[in-house]
Structure formats: C-alpha cells, structure tokens
Amino acid sequence: MATNKTVGGNAAFHNFNNDYAHINDPNERRRLALAEIDKAPFGWYHIRAIVVAGVGFFTDAYDIFAINLVTSMLGVVYWHDAKSKTGTIPTNSDTAIKVATSGGTVIGQLGFGYLADVVGRKKMYGLELILIIFATLAQSLSSDSPSISIVGILIFWRVLMGIGIGGDYPLSSIITSEFATTKWRGAMMGSVFAMQGIGQFAAAIIALITAVGFKESLLSAKTVGACGGVCGLAVDKMWRVIIGFGAVPGCIALYYRLTIPETPRYTFDVARDVEKAGEDTKAYIQGKAEGKPDAVKQAVVLADDNQNIEIPKASWADFIGHYGQWRHGKVLLGTAGSWFLLDIAFYGINLNNSIILQNIGFTGGTTVYQYFYRQAVGNLIIICAGAIPGYWVTVALVDTVGRKPIQLMGFSILTVLFCILGFGYHKIGQHGLLACFVLAQFFFNFGPNATTFIVPGECFPTRYRSTSHGISAASGKVGAIIAQVVFGPLRVRGAKPGATGAAASPWINHILEIFALFMFLGIFTTLLIPETKRKTLEELAGEVPGTPNYDPVTSGHGEKYGTQGSSDQSSGEHVPVHNV
C-alpha cells in the first residue's frame, strides 16, 4: 500500500502528517488533521499567533482613537486666526476627519473579507498593514496649501488608512480562530482584540509625553486661541508625533504577517489541497512559514481529492442558499445587528472622549499645557480604570462563562448605565458622571465589544467565514458612522454662538438617552447568535453529524443549494452534484 509519509518530527515537534498519511480518504484525513489543531495543547506557536495578530490590532486602535486627541491640536494650529472660536476646530471638520476612517474601514472589511475567502488568508495578510503604515506616515507629514485644506488631505489619507484597518478585522479574527485550539479559542481571539485597549492607552500616553516634552512652549499661552509662535509650533509638532508613532508597531509586525502559513482549514475546504494542508499543519506547529509537500504527489492528490471532498465549493448560489435558510441567516443577522447597535454607542463615546471629559469638568486649565495635559490624563483614567480591565476580564472568562451570556450581560448593564447618564446627567455630579463613564467602558469590553469580534470568527463555515465576519464588522462601522455624523451636530443643538465648555454641548444628555435605546435593542439581536464556547469550528458550521447544528448540505452529505441531486436507481446510490 502506498503511503504519504514525510521525514522529520521529534518529541518537541510532532509529525502530525505521518499520523494520517496512510489514510487515502481525503475527508478522513481532513477530519484527523483538524482534530490535531483543535486538541493541541496551548503552546508558544499559539502565543506567536496572538502577538502577530495583536500588534496589528494595537496599531488599528492607536490610529483610530489617537484622532480623538489630535483634532483639538489641529484646531490650535490651523484655526488660530478663525473669526469665531479661535483655536478650535469647527464641528463639521472634526466630524469629517473622524468619519473618514470609519468610511474606509467599511470598504476594507467588505473587500478584504471577501478576498480572504477567494484568494486565501495568507495572500491578503500583511497587505492591509502595509496600507496602514503608508497612510499613517503620510498623515504625519501632511499640511495644507492654497489648493487643499488640512481637512481634505487628512480625510484622503484616513480613508486609505481605514481601508487597511478594515482589512485587519476579518483577517486577524479568522486566522487566529482557524489556528486556535478549541479549548482556548475564545481567550486567544479575545487577547488579540484586547490589544485595542493597549492601543488606546498608548495613544493617550504618547499625547501625555508630548505635552510634557513641550511644556515650556505650551506654558507661554493661556488659552488655545492665544497659542501662536513657539506655542503653535510645539502643538504642530505634537500632533505629528502622535499620529506618526502609530506606524512603529506595524513595521515590527509586518515581516511576521507576510510569512505566516496559510490556515489548514482554508487549504482543506476552499483550496481543497489535502496534501498541502497536512504539511501546513505540521509547519504551523513547528513555527515554519509554510509546508513543503512533494510537488508531483501534491498534483496527483489534488486532482483526485477535488472530486472526493464532501465540503461544498463556494459559489454565489451556495452563499445565497446557505444564508437564505433562517437557521443560518439569523446568525449573520445577529452578529451584524449586534455589532451595528454596539458601535453606535461605542464610537459615539470613544471618539468624543475629550468632548465628554470637557463637559464633565475633567479638562481645561489656566494654560495650554494644562489643557492638553488634563485631556491626556482624563483619557488615561477612563482607559485604565474601565477599558483595559474589561478586555482582560473577557479573556479570562470567555471560555468558561461563554460568549452569549457575556454579551447579554453587557448590553443589559450598558442599557442601565446610559439611562443613568442620560436622565441623571445634571443630577449625579461630575464624580458620578465619571464613575458611570468608567463603568460603561468596562462593560463595553467585558461585554459586546469583545464578543461581537469573537463570535463571527467562529460560527460560519470556512468558505464564507471571512466574508461573513467582514459583513458583520462593516455593519458595526456603519453604526459608528451614524453615531459620528449625528453626534456632532446633535450635541451642539441649541448652543448659543460662542458658547464654550458644557454650554457648547447642551444636548449631550439626550444623546446618551438615545444610546441607551440602542443598547436595549442589542439584547434582542444577541438572542439570534449561538453559544460557541468549547465547540469546534466544524461543529458550529453544521458539518458534524449528530450535533444540534448539523446541516447535511453544509457538510456535503445532502443536495447542494439550488441543485437537484440525481440518483442511480439501479444501485440506489445518491450521485452528488458538484459545482464547477
């Protein structure tokens, strides 16, 4: 009997390929190979996957949320001679710069999500980081000119950066999910997403360092309107340093992203190359870039296995048929709807932290130095006290408590908190408002902000997993765009001309009441998603007979969507229909 054994392997690096190389049935070889990944003990190769994906998310969060600190600096530099509100960026310009990133992110999530299912995870991973690095450096070197304003040039580069950031969402989630051990998959994906909190923290820290570094220059002006000369020059350098630093961690992670192996699940189910997938499984465990199968044997096996692998091929007819069933369509509706509702409040709050801190009295001062120093410190308080602990509590509990209970609890508590913030805004005092904002940050992240990232990376079949995650994430960013477009104009409704501080945002309490409604609706979309803890990706996709999620069509054991299987009446055997 011919075998497919390969050389190599020892006590430290087990040769998984040889465990099932003698098995000719490609479906059985696939099952055994994926079982090895699912059951593998947590090791350094899992840590490497977390770090490589996590550094990208650190960069994403840094670049997204640093603008919250930078726009006030742009006001000092480019609106120093404004006729009204000298030294303050206009509301429309502030909103446009922030919305630009989310607009690009939607394009990246849909585009990269789709392409990762078509051409592979490996071929797309790293390209999005190159785009982020390039656009970030370009922003830090931007300036206005007679033909284009600083707002226009920043919008252009932030849209491009947003496309790269958008691509990182499905790719990092899917790659981590498909390489993870079943027992700790939630913790691994949560750890990648938790780097978002570290990125927010780093943005505030760099803002604080730059403020302290240019302290003497900033002390020369009492107000932002009077910040010219050496003060204005210092602020111009500050915002460029803050933005430009976002490219540094991305450069560190780029090599490792470009050299990861393709995920075995993609190679099995979409590329349908059993020989290559087996080698890639071994390469991943050993920390190599990719497997190196024998080319002749690979071609022979590939030609034969393409006709025998049971998992359906991806096609538009199969995609529509799959999600046309309520049992599958409701899951996509649940993941996309939950993310949409969450991001309305999450980005409405986090991209306007400085405005909210100003309204509750935690910014300002007698000099420009105090103004920027307190702004950075206020953001650090909220991030360190609420956001970062929330992320890591999720990592600790997501594989024991489960994704769905955490998301339900988060939406429920956030509904209560936003009701208190909105209806009690003028009654609970500054310390009460700060406490509620810190708690909201904690339950955003020990709640739906983490689980809406994790669940879409688990509950869909491999052939549509990245596309479905991209659709879910893009729905969230549409919510973020709505929040930003509405938040800016709505918060200043009824404000008197020239008003400053809390008087400049008289409608902020009503916005918080609206956020409470969206958090309440999130409870119902959460009911549509499955619990995914301690279940294999194949079980969640409906490919395992005898499990509650089993779907004969998804597993390849029934007729494909939109086709009619023919039967050989003489033998009684079903002849499957293969899409071309």
Side-chain angles (χ1 to χ4, degrees):
M1 180 183 293
T3 66
N4 298 308
K5 289 190 175 183
T6 57
V7 298
N10 53 45
F13 300 107
H14 186 70
N15 191 333
F16 290 112
N17 183 73
N18 287 353
D19 289 346
Y20 47 83
H22 63 286
I23 299 173
N24 291 321
D25 181 2
N27 297 292
E28 183 65 7
R29 290 179 66 188
R30 169 184 178 272
R31 185 188 69 79
L32 291 171
L34 296 183
E36 292 291 350
I37 295 175
D38 290 336
K39 296 185 297 182
F42 190 82
W44 69 268
Y45 41 88
H46 293 119
I47 296 173
R48 185 182 70 244
I50 292 169
V51 171
V52 171
V55 170
F57 250 85
F58 172 97
T59 304
D60 298 346
Y62 183 99
D63 290 335
I64 290 173
F65 295 108
I67 200 66
N68 171 47
L69 298 157
V70 162
T71 50
S72 58
M73 298 177 186
L74 293 174
V76 172
V77 177
Y78 294 99
W79 281 268
H80 179 66
D81 298 322
K83 294 180 180 179
S84 63
K85 294 187 177 181
T86 305
T88 304
I89 187 171
T91 300
N92 289 342
S93 298
D94 179 77
T95 301
I97 291 171
K98 292 174 181 176
V99 168
T101 311
S102 295
T105 303
V106 171
I107 298 170
Q109 286 163 337
L110 294 173
F112 276 88
Y114 171 74
L115 289 172
D117 278 338
V118 174
V119 302
R121 285 72 159 129
K122 175 180 172 61
K123 290 181 180 177
M124 301 308 299
Y125 210 39
L127 297 181
E128 84 293 349
L129 198 55
I130 293 172
L131 187 56
I132 293 170
I133 293 168
F134 179 75
T136 299
L137 291 174
Q139 286 176 72
S140 68
L141 300 173
S142 296
S143 187
D144 62 352
S145 73
S147 62
I148 188 169
S149 69
I150 188 63
V151 175
I153 196 78
L154 285 179
I155 286 174
F156 175 80
W157 289 119
R158 289 192 74 80
V159 167
L160 287 182
M161 184 187 75
I163 293 173
I165 290 173
D168 204 24
Y169 273 76
L171 284 167
S172 289
S173 174
I174 299 310
I175 287 172
T176 306
S177 172
E178 293 182 351
F179 275 129
T181 175
T182 300
K183 185 177 182 181
W184 301 115
R185 187 176 61 236
M188 286 182 63
M189 297 177 73
S191 297
V192 170
F193 195 66
M195 294 304 291
Q196 187 178 80
I198 307 300
Q200 290 175 267
F201 173 80
I205 280 289
I206 297 298
L208 181 62
I209 291 171
T210 56
V212 173
F214 290 101
K215 180 178 179 180
E216 296 302 320
S217 298
L218 298 178
L219 285 171
S220 65
K222 300 294 183 183
T223 65
V224 292
C227 184
V230 294
C231 177
L233 179 62
V235 175
D236 191 35
K237 293 176 180 178
M238 286 168 61
W239 80 260
R240 296 178 190 279
V241 170
I242 293 169
I243 291 291
F245 184 81
V248 174
C251 292
I252 297 171
L254 184 59
Y255 168 78
Y256 298 98
R257 288 200 171 195
L258 293 173
T259 56
I260 66 160
E262 182 58 87
T263 70
R265 283 183 164 89
Y266 180 87
T267 311
F268 273 126
D269 294 357
V270 183
R272 308 173 85 79
D273 189 341
V274 175
E275 195 72 20
K276 182 68 164 63
E279 289 294 315
D280 281 345
T281 301
K282 182 178 66 174
Y284 169 65
I285 299 297
Q286 295 182 356
K288 297 179 181 178
E290 61 180 324
K292 302 290 184 182
D294 179 86
V296 176
K297 182 166 60 179
Q298 180 185 10
V300 173
V301 174
L302 181 61
D304 181 57
D305 288 352
N306 255 320
Q307 303 303 315
N308 297 318
I309 294 177
E310 295 171 344
I311 301 300
K313 289 184 178 179
S315 68
W316 284 110
D318 181 69
F319 181 86
I320 295 169
H322 181 77
Y323 287 113
Q325 292 187 91
W326 175 243
R327 64 184 297 187
H328 301 305
K330 73 174 183 179
V331 177
L332 184 59
L333 178 63
T335 57
S338 297
W339 213 331
F340 170 80
L341 296 168
L342 163 76
D343 274 5
I344 289 177
F346 182 75
Y347 280 90
I349 292 291
N350 282 282
L351 284 177
N352 296 281
N353 264 348
S354 298
I355 294 169
I356 292 168
L357 287 167
Q358 182 180 11
N359 273 264
I360 63 178
F362 281 85
T363 58
T366 57
T367 64
V368 174
Y369 168 72
Q370 288 185 354
Y371 176 81
F372 288 121
Y373 179 87
R374 290 180 181 177
Q375 184 185 74
V377 170
N379 277 272
L380 281 172
I381 291 171
I382 291 177
I383 294 164
C384 292
I388 292 178
Y391 283 113
W392 292 103
V393 171
T394 297
V395 172
L397 298 179
V398 70
D399 283 312
T400 51
V401 175
R403 287 71 153 156
K404 194 169 182 177
I406 289 175
Q407 187 164 311
L408 277 171
M409 175 208 63
F411 272 128
S412 300
I413 294 177
L414 287 167
T415 301
V416 174
L417 287 172
F418 279 114
C419 282
I420 294 171
L421 283 167
F423 293 105
Y425 190 82
H426 299 293
K427 301 174 183 177
I428 61 177
Q430 290 183 357
H431 292 90
L433 289 170
L434 182 62
C436 286
F437 275 115
V438 168
L439 286 173
Q441 288 294 332
F442 179 83
F443 286 106
F444 269 133
N445 299 305
F446 178 43
N449 191 41
T451 54
T452 51
F453 173 81
I454 294 171
V455 173
E458 300 177 304
C459 62
F460 301 111
T462 300
R463 63 191 185 279
Y464 302 129
R465 187 170 291 128
S466 184
T467 301
S468 302
H469 194 286
I471 291 171
S472 301
S475 299
K477 289 304 170 286
V478 169
I481 292 170
I482 292 172
Q484 292 164 64
V485 169
V486 172
F487 187 98
L490 203 58
R491 72 177 172 83
V492 298
R493 184 180 180 187
K496 295 179 180 179
T500 59
S505 306
W507 240 68
I508 196 167
N509 60 316
H510 299 304
I511 292 173
L512 295 170
E513 293 165 7
I514 295 170
F515 288 167
L517 173 62
F518 285 112
M519 296 300 94
F520 178 70
L521 295 175
I523 295 171
F524 298 98
T525 56
T526 300
L527 299 176
L528 298 175
I529 66 172
E531 178 50 66
T532 60
K533 72 168 184 175
R534 301 289 166 85
K535 295 179 180 178
T536 68
L537 298 181
E538 286 63 47
E539 179 182 348
L540 291 166
E543 299 172 13
V544 182
T547 60
N549 296 330
Y550 178 60
D551 180 356
V553 180
T554 297
S555 65
H557 299 148
E559 294 178 354
K560 291 178 174 57
Y561 301 113
T563 64
Q564 295 294 326
S566 59
S567 297
D568 184 335
Q569 300 297 332
S570 61
S571 65
E573 294 182 353
H574 178 74
V575 180
V577 178
H578 293 276
N579 293 337
V580 178

